[in-house]
Every structure is written in C-alpha cells, then in structure tokens.
Amino acid sequence: MEPTPEQSPHHAYPDHWEADVVLRDGGTARIRPITTDDAERLVSFYEQVSDESKYYRFFAPYPRLSDRDVHRFTHHDYVDRVGLAVTIGGEFIGTVRYDRINDQGRPASAPADEAEVAFLVQDAHQGRGVASALLEHIAAVARERGIRRFAAEVLPANNKMIKVFRDGGYTQRRSFEDGSVHLTLDLEPTEKSLAVQRGREQRAEARSVQRLLAPGSVAVIGTGRTPGGVGRTVLRNLLASGYTGRTYAVNRAFDEGLATLDGVPAHCSLGEIDEQVDLAVIAVPAHRVPEAVADCGEHGVQGLVVLSAGYAERGAEGRELQRELVRQARSYGMRIIGPNAFGIINTAESVRLNASLAPESPARGRIGLFTQSGAIGIALLSGLHRRGAGLSSFISAGNRADVSGNDFLQYSFEDPDTDVALLYLESLGNPRKFNRLARRTAAVKPVVVVKGARHSGSTPPGHAVPVSRIPDATVSALMRQAGVIRVDTVTEMVDAGLLLAGQPLPAGPRVAILGNSESLGLLTYDACLAEGLRPRPPIDLTTAASPQDFRDALAEALADGTCDAVIVTAIPWVGENGEAETGDGQVLAAALHKAVAGGSAKPVAVVHVEIGGLAEALAAASSTAAPRPRTVTPAADRPQAATTPSTGPARSPAPATPTAPEAGPAPEAPTTPPVRPGPGSPADPKAGPAPEAATGPGRIPAYPAAERAVRALAEAVKYAQWRRQAAVPGKIPEFLDDTIDEPGAAALIEAQLATAPDPRGRPLTHDEARELLGRYGIAVRPTLPAPDPGAAVAAAGRLGYPVALKTTAPHLRHRADLGGVRLDIADEEALRRAYGELTDLLGKPAELLPVVQAMAPRGVDTVVRASIDAAAGAVLSFGLAGAPSELLGDTAHRLVPATDRDAAELIRSIRAAPVLFGWRGSAPVDTAALEELLLRLSRLVDDHPEVVSVALEPVVVAPHGLTVLGASVRLAPPPARSDLGPRRLPNY
C-alpha cells in the first residue's frame, strides 16, 4: 500500500515492515503500517470492538472515534509516531501504535529513546495471538527507529493485556500509579524473549499444518462431471480412503439439477454449501484459480491444496502469478500447499484423509513424509508400500510457495503419530531456520533428508529461494551437525526410515552377523567395515540351518553384551531335489519375531536373497511382541544383560499442543516435547494393543542387499551417537571473555567501514587484520615487505634469523608447490641467494610482492576459515593446508557460534585427522591450542557480523602451541538476519 502525498516525503512508506504471520490457531494474517487511506477501515474496525475493550483502551467510555482521532491514528511519520494494523480480508482485526516521548511523558523526537505503546484487538479475534504478534513487530520497528523502551498504562482489570506484556520475555518493570499499572519494557531482545518468540512460532506453524491435515470437511473444486481428470480422481481417492469428515464436489459447470456426484453433495460454488468447509482442493486451470481462491476466502475456508500447474515452473510470468496466489490466499488467512502439488494424506484413524492423486492410501504407520516433487512422492509411496511400511502423514508441496519443509518439521516435532520424519527437498527457503528446527526435532525423533538439485545453478524452476554460495558438501556437514540423517537417494531414505521406525537405536557400532550363507555373511562383514562399523566375525549357521536354528542364534546374539546390533543374512533353503525352496519366508519370519519378542534393546535387520514372503512377513508386527523399550542409557553405563532397557536414545513424541487463549501460561519454547507412554508400556499398564500399522516396534526391516542394510544401520549408529552427545550440549568457554576486547574490535570495524565507500565492504590490509584479530587473542606473525634484496636483509635483521621469504601475489599466495616460498634461511648470504632465485624463477619483485617472516616452529600446516553466507549464516571451516586436501574436499564445517564440542569434532572429522594425532610415529600436535583458535574465531564472527570473511592460512600447529602465519579479513555491512526479527512467513 502506497502512502499519500500528505505523508512526509522524508519518511517514505516502510514496506519492509509488511509481514504475513501465522496466528496461534494456525490461520494467517497480514501486519502492515497504517496509512491515511485506512480511515474507513479504522472506523469500521472500531465499531466492531466491544464497549469493554474500548474502555480498557481509553480508560473511559469511548463509543466512537472523532474525526480528530481518525486523523491522528492514520497519519504517522513512521519515526516518532508509528501505527501497525493486522488485517484479514483487507479489514483490520487489531492495531498497535507508539508515540515517542521524553522523560516527562510528552511528545518528543530523537534522541529520546522511549515511546508510549497501546493496543486494540477485536473481541472476535482475541485469544488468537494477535496482540503478541503485534508486540513483536512494533518492538522491532521501534528498535529500528532508535527507541529502546516502551511505556504502557494498563487498567488492573485488563489481565489479558498485562499478560501479553509479561509473557513477551522482555525485561520489564512494573508499578501501580494513579489507579493503573505502569509497565516499562526494555526492547533489547533477550534469550527469554527469543525463546518465547520461537515457541509461539512453533506452535502456530504446527497448528497451521495440522489444520490442513485434519480438516472436518473437504471441498474438491474442479471435480469433473465425467470419470477421470484430476479433480474427479481426488474425489474418488477421498471416498476410497474412508475419510471421516464431510466431502463436497464443486464445479461451476455442474447442471442445476445435479444434487450428488459419486454419492457426495455437488454444488456450483462454495456459497451453496450451508456448512463450514475447512479444506479446499483446487483442481482447475491456473487462470481460474484466483476466482476459486476468492470464493474460498469469502466463505471461511481454512486452507488450500492447489494441484493446478502453470506457475513458477513456467518462468517469470508464472512466478509472478504464484506470488499473487500466495498474497491472495494469505489475505484471507489461508495457507497453501502447492501450487503444482500432488496432494496430502493423513492415515490417522480419526481422519483417514487421502486428498491426493495417489490411487491407494498407504497403511497406517509411524513415518511422516514430505516431498517437493510429485514424481518423487509417487516413487516413495510405492517403495514404502512394497516394503510393507506405513505412513502417519504425507505432504507433496509442489512448488512450495507457502507450506514448506520447515512447516512440516514444526508439525512432526509435535505429532504423536510420527516417530520418523522423511523429507525430500529440492531447495531450502530458509536454511538457518531449517537447521534450528531440524536440530530440535532430531533431539526427539530421527529426521532423514534427501537433497535434490544439489549442484549450483540447478534450483528447480518452480522454487524461488535465496542464493547460497556454500557448496553442497558444506550443506551436508551443517545438516549432520544439526542431527539430520543426510542420504543421497530416495532408496536410502526408505531403507533408513524402515530401520529407524521399527527398531531401537543402537548403543554403539558393534555388529553381530549370522546366517546360512558364508558368502553373504562375508559381504555383510566387508560392508560394515566400509561404513565404519565394528563387525564381529560372521556366524555361519550353514545351509542346513532351520528356522529354529535362526531363532536360537538370534536370541543368543541379542543376549550377548559384546554387540550392539544384529544383521541376519538368509538365502533360500535347497531341497533334496536340488531346487531352492523360496516359500518358507513366513516360517523364518515367525522364528525371528519370536527371538526378538522379549523386548530386545538392539536393532535387528535382515538381508535376504529371493526368499518369498519374508519381507512382507517381517513387516507385520508379531502379535506376541512386546513394545521395544526406547529409553536413553549412556553407552559407557549400559548394562550387559539383554533384558535391560534399551541403550539407544528415546523417541518421545508429544501430543499436539492445544490452542491456548491469549492470556494463557507463559509460552516458553520447549526443548523437547512431553513424553507420551506407548500403548502397553510399563507407564501405561491398562492400555490395549497398539493399532495395526505397517511400521513400528516389533517389525524387522528386510533388505535385498547387504550394503543397503549396513548403510541404514550405520546411519542409525551415527544418529544415536549424536543423540547421546546432544543430551549434554557443548559450551562456549567463559575464560575467553577475559582475553577478548569486543568494544575495541567494534570500534576498529566501525572505523574501517567508514573509510569504505563501497557497500560491498573492503578487505583489510595485513596490519589491519593483525590488529583486529589481536583483539580476540589471535596473534598473527608479522611480515615485512621486501621490494628488493636490501630491504629483505634489513627485514631479516629486525625479525632475527632464521626467516622465510615468500611471495604474496594473489596468483602465488599459499602455493608453495609453485616455488613461491623459501624456508629456514639462516643468514644474509642465503637470503640474497634465495631472493635472486625467486625473482629469476617467477618474475619481478613488483609482481611477486615478496615479504620476509620469522620462522615458526615445525608442525602441521592447517587452514582455518570463517565466512557468512546470506542464506545459511556464519560457517566455521577447518582442514589441512595443501593441494591434496583441497582437491579431495577434505574440509569440515560447523555453524557459528561453535561450542567446545563443535571445535573438538571439527578437527577430528576430516579424513586426514590422524596426521594431527601422531600418524606413523610422528609427534602429536597441540590440538587444544587449535580448538581454542577455532573458538576465538567463532566468537569474533558471531560478535561482529560485519566480519564476513576470515582466512587464517597457514596455521602451523606444533607439538606445543601454534602459529598463524597468514590472515585475510574482509569487512562489509552485515547481511539481513531474518531469523532474529519478529515472526514472519517468507515471501519467495
């Protein structure tokens, strides 16, 4: 919305304050600045507010706004006087304003840093979190305009408003003056306010997805009059799935006399339906979608699944149509799955929703599946069905214009019916948020991700996302830091999902292998070694082994305290006539089920070759199988008996959080959801048997190849280890605070940026970089320029022999293999000789820019870097120096801020790490000093986002201490941090 000429040209309309937000009940609303065009909207809004709410706002009966009031509340300078409104369908449902004041409470301008704030929310929308969202946004606006405190006068009886202020998490002071409560809020974000904000965001976004997956009624818009077509197919699938809600067929071309279609009410428009419609599935051509969306919005539909194509996947024109579609839907408070979506599925017994193009609903299970591709969605549904696996929910988001993988993670975190979340992603709209949500979700249940379109420049045409310059290997490392199980193919995703959904997590990497084929056992053994597991020698039961022999061997392995997991290998039995007997799969499956029926704490997987019926029988839960225990026991403390509780991490799904009233309990962000005892568990002795499902405790995953089973088990081992470590998070050592001059570094950065007219920033000189790094205790060995041999000799005299002579030309920097470095120069004669050799070989001194540096103690050359990516955030990297490491991509990465555990893992996670720890008899280097350097650099870029790039190369790590020989630093205005501002939905 554009400002009118009456508004000050010096304070243009701040369109960056506009935002779409998800409210507490899962609906959306738009927050925007109030303009002079809003006079009629404001008057209409005020007329719908109750007398009681008006009294709380103005401390007196105030039935209507005067013309003067309307002018005052719609004319702002967007600096000292600001008003924001929350709108749905273009109409106001809530407002907030601030007026800057001085110490005496009178109107003021900067540098006054306090403002009086007041809210008003329509009674019909109170309890939806409107005021809480407005407080976040008006506080961010105030901070942008130099306001540091809010003052508010609230009547004591206005408990809802008092709780809004109290629950915001800001530092506040309260007093009682002249019959009202005087509140003062410090607007600087705190850990508590950020936790509150993210907690509200999580509950709201989870609820918005829940509304889509569990609607009370569904209308299919665009249902064909004849069999076939997208709309008619969705209607048929809805009916076939046994959907428990009300279903309607809608098509404006229906004949007036048509009352039903396929047994459901048929209508020409939503307006003809007397009851509330919660979800609309839109299957009409793209040019008719806006009409359908408007019809939905005007009749209170809560969410949309748009199957129609013809949007961003068609190019720039389609991308603009897609953006307009999202704007239109959100203006009515609706969220969208799609466009170009495949549909959604919810197998919960109380819902049984199949609003998709999948002809057959999957069985009920404990796996939640999200995909950004319809074709991949079809393949995954088919693959899970073939393996006897079931789903709890399925979302195919198509172009992912609104509901994304982040929303699915918010939902999965709370969903009590989901034990494992599988995601096929082709783009990450908000990588920072994804890593944060994935880390929290992975702490309670596994998250398995396949990332398509991994290479630069191959983002799917339907996805408009921020540009990220970090390579895919870095993305993978950051995902694993967050606990995400990153796999390469959808087949590996299904393999891992089956194991994680049906088996307890392993306590360690020790694997027992048993079976009736020595060769298959050896293949499994080799695969375990290749994946970093610790297999025991395979137990060959011989080809004559009976199902009872398998049962006894498996029971013995499960009782053995020297292994953490068991892989069973099986080939068909050979009959007396020499033919393979492939029909005994059910018998073998029954024997294996009986072996694990005692509630084993160890995962079991089966590798089989052409045994008919085995995979299907293993996927079915044994009727006598007790639930597998899922408690957490540190590996070091685990008991050795097989009847003890599981040593693997627990999966503790939480019940869905109910919608709380506006004045509910303080919404602290949870770190883990509450534990829900499983049916039949000791905590629930009266519970009946678990409902039938195709994945869950007691189901043993089967694999047609040893490599696939072992790879899935290896991922489970690494994830279990991450879970154990995440239970006790690392820390940022406090001792660093005594050696860090944060204000001094800030002053240096400000001064350097002030001299750089280029908004892209500037690189620091060697001396400037040394000074800045020195403020954080990072000492860089000085270098002296050597433009000629005499200057080189003079420099060596100042530094002291022995010295190094090296070039600093960009094309030769850090390239010792090209001959641009001479080390251990002991005297003047050797220095002059080296200088001559260097210039004769590589060029003139003016081209080489040679420098002299004092020699450092011998050690291992390493490289430490930190950089800020606009999409992913600040990343800390480590590797060994030299071409081999660079060519092999042997570099480790962690997100900033790094903890002591992150630093320790960083230097140990590269493949060349043994070089640091005494490889082949060499002396181990001082890794403690290296970890401290990493922590100091992490702290620097975290404290000062203007430091957008740092490279320390080389860092020579000796047996005692280290030396930073080279450093480059680049400063620039920091990129915007969308994850630190108030809640808002992304606009792609």
Side-chain angles (χ1 to χ4, degrees):
M1 181 171 293
E2 296 299 326
T4 67
E6 293 182 51
Q7 294 171 314
S8 170
H10 301 294
H11 308 297
Y13 178 82
D15 54 8
H16 64 286
W17 292 352
E18 296 182 353
D20 294 313
V21 297
V22 183
L23 301 177
R24 181 177 295 155
D25 61 0
T28 65
R30 186 153 186 83
I31 295 178
R32 64 168 177 83
I34 297 174
T35 75
T36 56
D37 292 334
D38 290 320
E40 291 184 7
R41 294 184 185 88
L42 181 65
V43 171
S44 175
F45 158 73
Y46 193 77
E47 289 174 348
Q48 299 177 62
V49 175
S50 70
D51 291 339
E52 180 183 48
S53 294
K54 293 174 181 175
Y55 185 87
Y56 285 151
R57 169 64 176 87
F58 293 103
F59 292 19
Y62 214 88
R64 64 186 56 85
L65 296 176
S66 67
D67 291 343
R68 181 178 179 182
D69 293 329
V70 173
H71 184 276
R72 177 189 171 206
F73 294 150
T74 57
H75 286 69
H76 307 94
D77 62 8
Y78 302 127
V79 177
D80 300 325
R81 301 184 315 281
V82 172
L84 301 180
V86 180
T87 67
I88 294 179
E91 299 301 322
F92 287 6
I93 66 168
T95 62
V96 64
R97 63 175 284 114
Y98 78 66
D99 293 270
R100 196 189 299 258
I101 58 176
N102 58 21
D103 295 340
Q104 290 75 42
R106 297 182 179 277
S109 298
D113 60 359
E114 185 171 334
E116 187 175 39
V117 67
F119 296 76
L120 187 60
V121 178
Q122 269 185 16
D123 297 68
H125 293 278
Q126 291 179 10
R128 300 186 65 197
V130 174
S132 300
L134 279 173
L135 176 58
E136 290 180 20
H137 283 261
I138 197 69
V141 168
R143 289 193 297 269
E144 180 182 329
R145 297 310 196 199
I147 293 171
R148 298 291 172 258
R149 292 181 305 281
F150 274 162
E153 299 289 338
V154 186
L155 289 175
N158 193 356
N159 293 319
K160 291 182 179 180
M161 200 66 245
I162 292 174
K163 283 189 66 63
V164 167
F165 287 116
R166 185 181 67 194
D167 296 346
Y170 298 104
T171 303
Q172 63 176 272
R173 295 175 294 281
R174 184 186 309 185
S175 61
F176 189 78
E177 302 173 8
D178 299 328
S180 65
V181 179
H182 181 80
L183 296 168
T184 302
L185 275 71
D186 292 335
L187 299 183
E188 187 66 26
T190 64
E191 289 187 10
K192 183 178 180 181
S193 68
L194 189 59
V196 167
Q197 177 179 313
R198 289 177 174 173
R200 288 171 173 164
E201 174 191 65
Q202 188 274 321
R203 286 186 290 275
E205 292 180 357
R207 175 61 179 154
S208 73
V209 176
Q210 184 186 34
R211 296 204 315 179
L212 292 163
L213 287 173
S217 57
V218 178
V220 181
I221 301 176
T223 307
R225 290 168 291 181
T226 59
V230 174
R232 193 67 175 268
T233 299
V234 172
L235 180 63
R236 181 196 65 199
N237 295 342
L238 268 170
L239 298 176
S241 66
Y243 172 55
T244 59
R246 302 177 303 280
T247 306
Y248 303 95
V250 178
N251 190 328
R252 67 178 184 178
F254 282 158
D255 297 332
E256 292 184 3
L258 183 65
T260 63
L261 185 70
D262 290 344
V264 305
H267 300 278
C268 292
S269 69
L270 288 176
E272 298 178 1
I273 302 175
D274 295 332
E275 300 175 315
Q276 168 75 34
V277 173
D278 296 331
L279 176 70
V281 180
I282 298 180
V284 300
H287 70 274
R288 286 181 48 203
V289 170
E291 176 188 348
V293 172
D295 194 23
C296 293
E298 290 167 3
H299 292 92
V301 173
Q302 295 181 349
L304 306 174
V305 176
V306 181
L307 307 182
S308 312
Y311 287 91
E313 75 276 8
R314 297 288 181 88
E317 183 178 352
R319 184 173 295 111
E320 187 53 42
L321 287 176
Q322 181 168 299
R323 289 170 177 157
E324 181 55 37
L325 168 64
V326 174
R327 285 193 290 266
Q328 183 186 17
R330 288 179 180 174
S331 73
Y332 289 109
M334 300 182 294
R335 299 212 67 183
I336 293 178
I337 291 176
N340 198 24
F342 186 72
I344 60 176
I345 297 174
N346 184 352
T347 64
E349 185 63 27
S350 60
V351 183
R352 298 202 302 271
L353 173 75
N354 180 6
S356 78
L357 297 173
E360 184 175 350
S361 290
R364 288 186 62 199
R366 310 291 301 175
I367 295 175
L369 176 60
F370 177 91
T371 172
Q372 291 179 356
S373 163
I376 296 298
I378 295 171
L380 285 168
L381 289 174
S382 175
L384 289 165
H385 178 72
R386 286 197 310 270
R387 304 282 291 276
L391 294 177
S392 58
S393 59
F394 166 76
I395 294 178
S396 172
N399 290 2
R400 190 196 44 82
D402 182 20
V403 172
S404 68
N406 286 347
D407 296 295
F408 184 74
L409 284 176
Q410 300 277 40
Y411 171 78
S412 299
F413 175 74
E414 284 194 343
D415 182 29
D417 294 329
T418 298
D419 284 346
V420 181
L422 308 184
L423 296 92
Y424 171 78
L425 305 175
E426 293 178 342
S427 59
L428 295 175
N430 189 338
R432 295 179 196 244
K433 183 175 180 179
F434 176 83
N435 273 279
R436 171 169 57 85
L437 301 185
R439 177 185 289 273
R440 185 194 56 196
T441 305
V444 294
K445 59 186 70 173
V447 177
V448 187
V449 171
V450 171
K451 177 68 168 62
R454 292 179 291 175
H455 301 292
S456 175
S458 58
T459 299
H463 298 211
V465 297
V467 176
S468 176
R469 295 180 177 85
I470 59 176
D472 182 70
T474 306
V475 174
S476 182
L478 299 182
M479 282 189 179
R480 291 197 176 275
Q481 183 187 4
V484 173
I485 300 170
R486 169 80 183 270
V487 294
D488 293 330
T489 67
V490 293
T491 300
E492 292 176 356
M493 173 193 279
V494 173
D495 287 344
L498 289 176
L499 182 70
L500 293 163
Q503 297 293 305
L505 294 174
R510 303 171 301 176
V511 182
I513 303 169
L514 60 93
N516 62 351
S517 167
E518 181 181 11
S519 298
L520 191 53
L522 290 174
L523 287 173
T524 306
Y525 181 89
D526 291 341
C528 286
L529 290 176
E531 293 292 338
L533 301 177
R534 292 165 51 192
R536 291 170 43 187
I539 300 174
D540 183 14
L541 303 179
T542 76
T543 56
S546 66
Q548 183 63 41
D549 295 329
F550 273 89
R551 174 183 175 180
D552 294 341
L554 178 56
E556 182 178 351
L558 292 173
D560 188 346
T562 64
C563 74
D564 304 305
V566 183
I567 297 179
V568 178
T569 62
I571 62 172
W573 286 270
V574 179
E576 295 181 358
N577 59 0
E579 295 183 359
E581 299 178 1
T582 62
D584 292 333
Q586 294 183 350
V587 178
L588 177 58
L592 298 178
H593 274 305
K594 290 178 181 179
V596 302
S600 167
K602 301 175 184 178
V604 178
V606 173
V607 178
H608 69 99
V609 177
E610 298 298 333
I611 300 183
L614 177 61
E616 295 79 2
L618 288 172
S622 170
S623 60
T624 60
R628 311 290 285 275
R630 297 170 183 262
T631 56
V632 177
T633 303
D637 301 330
R638 63 180 183 273
Q640 297 300 310
T643 57
T644 58
S646 168
T647 57
R651 297 188 189 98
S652 308
T657 303
T659 301
E662 181 87 21
E668 294 296 330
T671 54
T672 58
V675 175
R676 177 180 63 86
S681 69
D684 187 17
K686 297 181 181 179
E692 287 300 320
T695 50
R699 293 162 177 81
I700 303 174
Y703 302 88
E707 296 79 10
R708 289 173 57 180
V710 171
R711 191 172 296 118
L713 179 59
E715 294 293 354
V717 168
K718 287 182 282 191
Y719 170 68
Q721 182 182 11
W722 181 90
R723 280 274 292 268
R724 287 190 292 269
Q725 293 176 345
V728 184
K731 299 179 181 179
I732 298 177
E734 295 183 0
F735 74 89
L736 291 180
D737 295 339
D738 298 332
T739 56
I740 289 176
D741 180 10
E742 183 178 346
L748 285 173
I749 292 170
E750 182 179 4
Q752 295 298 339
L753 285 178
T755 64
D758 190 342
R760 294 174 297 180
R762 52 158 292 195
L764 298 186
T765 65
H766 177 76
D767 290 339
E768 291 169 343
R770 284 188 64 228
E771 184 179 8
L772 176 60
L773 293 168
R775 301 284 184 172
Y776 274 72
I778 301 173
V780 181
R781 181 152 293 203
T783 61
L784 297 177
D788 55 61
V793 171
R798 291 176 56 188
L799 297 173
Y801 290 99
V803 296
L805 176 67
K806 54 186 181 181
T807 65
T808 59
H811 66 287
L812 295 172
R813 186 175 297 165
H814 311 307
R815 292 297 308 275
D817 55 310
L818 297 180
V821 179
R822 297 291 188 274
L823 302 176
D824 287 318
I825 301 174
D827 52 36
E828 178 179 343
E829 181 182 355
L831 178 57
R832 290 184 180 275
R833 183 170 58 252
Y835 199 100
E837 293 173 353
L838 201 66
T839 53
D840 291 342
L841 176 65
L842 299 174
K844 299 178 180 179
E847 301 171 352
L848 303 182
L849 305 176
V851 296
V852 175
Q853 190 174 48
M855 284 295 300
R858 292 287 185 174
V860 177
D861 289 359
T862 65
V863 180
V864 175
R865 293 190 177 96
S867 61
I868 294 182
D869 180 83
V875 179
L876 186 67
S877 305
F878 171 77
L880 298 190
S885 291
E886 187 174 345
L887 287 171
L888 296 174
D890 191 17
T891 305
H893 312 274
R894 292 293 184 274
L895 283 176
V896 169
T899 66
D900 52 357
R901 177 176 293 163
D902 291 330
E905 292 175 352
L906 193 60
I907 65 175
R908 289 164 175 80
S909 58
I910 60 174
R911 285 170 289 180
V915 173
L916 303 170
F917 296 93
W919 184 61
R920 289 189 173 181
S922 61
V925 301
D926 193 345
T927 54
L930 185 56
E931 292 170 18
E932 181 178 337
L933 175 67
L934 290 165
L935 291 170
R936 290 180 182 276
L937 183 57
S938 169
R939 177 74 181 274
L940 171 64
V941 296
D942 189 45
D943 289 347
H944 307 283
E946 300 88 352
V947 182
V948 296
S949 175
V950 178
L952 308 180
E953 182 179 3
V955 177
V956 182
V957 190
H960 299 286
L962 57 78
T963 307
V964 180
L965 295 182
S968 61
V969 178
R970 183 173 185 83
L971 303 181
R977 289 287 302 271
S978 59
D979 57 322
L980 294 182
R983 289 173 286 160
R984 64 171 59 212
L985 288 171
N987 292 311
Y988 300 123

